[in-house]
Amino acid sequence: MPPLAPGQIYRLWARVGETDVLCGDFGAGPDGQVLAQFLVPVESYTAPIPKPFLTVETSGASATPSGPTVIQSA
C-alpha cells in the first residue's frame, strides 16, 4: 500500500446489510508494508459480510466512510 500523507489513515470497513461497520485503522510503512491486527466487533455482524472495503480517511473518529474507496471485495 502506498504511504499516506500526514493526517490520513487507511480504514477497513465491513458492509453488513445496509450498515458500514468500522473494523480498524492502519497506515503503511515507507516500503508499503502493512502489518495490522483487527479486533472484530462480532456483535455488529448480524448478516454475512459480502463486501469488505478500504477507504482513505482523515485521522480521527468517524462512524461512516467519507473518503475514497481504494480497495473493495468483488
Side-chain angles (χ1 to χ4, degrees), residues 12-68:
L12 179 64
W13 303 87
R15 187 156 297 130
V16 180
E18 297 296 317
T19 304
D20 295 327
V21 177
L22 174 62
C23 297
D25 298 342
F26 62 93
D31 61 355
Q33 186 174 17
V34 173
L35 297 175
Q37 183 175 7
F38 300 104
L39 296 175
V40 177
V42 175
E43 67 279 356
S44 298
Y45 300 126
T46 57
I49 304 167
K51 290 190 176 184
F53 62 102
L54 186 67
T55 61
V56 174
E57 303 287 344
T58 302
S59 298
S62 175
T64 58
S66 59

